[in-house]
Amino acid sequence: MQIKTVRNTNETEISLEFNLRGNGVYKINTPISFFTHMLEQFSHHGGFDIILDAKSLDNDFHHIVEDVAIVLGNAFKEALGDKKGICRYASFFLPMDDALCHCALDISGRAFCKCSFNIKDEKTSDFETVLLVHFYNTFAQNAGITLHLRQIDGYDTHHIIEASFKSFARALKAACSIDATNKDVLPSTKGVL
C-alpha cells in the first residue's frame, strides 16, 4: 500500500511517499546530510520504499528530525492497516565494526520508547546526537509501537548511530512481515492492537 502525505508547518515542509512492502528504494532529501544517510539505511535495510523531501523553514534541525519522525511514524501506522497476519514482535542484533546495537519491538498499538546509548560526542558530521533518541521516541509515539533500542558496545559515534538505524530497520521489517501460518489472524488475544 502506497502512502502519500504532506506535513506543512511554520517550521518545516515535508512530503512523503511510503511503501511498507517495497524493495528498499529511496530518494531522500533533508538539510542534514548525516540524517539523510541514516534514513537511506533505514529504507534499504527495512525494505521500505521512501521518497522524502524535507525542507527547514526556521533552520532548526530539531524540527526537521521531529517532523520527519512524525510523518514516517504515521505513514507506517497507516500502511499496517488492521495488522492482521503480522508477526508483531521482533528483535535484531546488529554489529558495525566497533559498534553493536540491539533493537526489540512490539507493534502493539501502545506507544513506548526506551533508548540506552552511551554517545560522548555532541555531533557527528552535521547531526546533533541528542536528536537520535528524539527521532526514535517521536517515531514510536506516532506509529504506536513499543520500542527498545540499546547500544551494547562501541566508541565511534557514526558507527553507533548507524548500527541503531540498521537494527531498527531490520527489526521493524521482521515485525511487520506476514506470518504465513496466520495470515488472517490478529496477533493478540485481546482482539485489538
Side-chain angles (χ1 to χ4, degrees):
M1 176 185 202
Q2 184 84 5
I3 305 297
K4 293 184 180 182
T5 187
V6 172
R7 177 180 170 85
N8 293 329
T9 72
N10 293 332
E11 300 160 345
T12 65
E13 290 179 353
I14 298 172
S15 64
L16 172 69
E17 292 182 32
F18 179 80
N19 183 2
L20 180 70
R21 306 198 191 285
N23 297 302
V25 175
Y26 56 82
K27 183 177 180 184
I28 297 170
N29 178 45
T30 82
I32 313 168
S33 62
F34 184 82
F35 185 47
T36 299
H37 176 47
M38 293 303 101
L39 294 172
E40 290 169 351
Q41 298 303 315
F42 176 72
S43 171
H44 178 78
H45 288 274
F48 312 127
D49 293 345
I50 298 175
I51 299 173
L52 173 74
D53 187 55
K55 292 181 177 64
S56 176
L57 303 180
D58 63 0
N59 295 315
D60 188 334
F61 287 174
H62 176 100
H63 295 143
I64 282 290
V65 171
E66 179 177 65
D67 287 0
V68 166
I70 289 169
V71 169
L72 277 173
N74 283 332
F76 177 81
K77 184 175 184 177
E78 184 180 345
L80 278 173
D82 64 10
K83 301 178 188 143
K84 283 186 179 175
I86 65 167
C87 290
R88 179 178 167 178
Y89 297 97
S91 174
F92 202 91
F93 287 89
L94 194 130
M96 183 172 176
D97 300 341
D98 58 288
L100 177 62
C101 287
H102 177 244
C103 178
L105 58 85
D106 174 13
I107 301 174
S108 60
R110 296 185 305 278
F112 180 82
C113 179
K114 182 174 182 184
C115 293
S116 300
F117 295 108
N118 183 22
I119 297 174
K120 294 177 177 58
D121 296 324
E122 290 184 11
K123 285 185 89 173
T124 183
S125 183
D126 58 347
F127 183 77
E128 296 173 62
T129 56
V130 70
L131 298 178
L132 179 65
V133 173
H134 188 52
F135 172 82
Y136 289 128
N137 184 58
T138 304
F139 186 102
Q141 292 295 322
N142 287 275
I145 65 172
T146 296
L147 174 63
H148 290 261
L149 262 165
R150 61 189 172 121
Q151 172 192 344
I152 297 169
D153 207 348
Y155 54 83
D156 183 295
T157 299
H158 185 129
H159 293 166
I160 293 163
I161 294 173
E162 188 163 342
S164 80
F165 268 89
K166 289 176 177 177
S167 65
F168 177 49
R170 293 279 174 164
L172 205 52
K173 178 181 183 179
C176 67
S177 66
I178 300 300
D179 179 351
T181 59
N182 293 293
K183 290 187 290 191
D184 298 314
V185 178
L186 191 70
S188 172
T189 56
K190 292 181 181 180
V192 294
L193 278 180

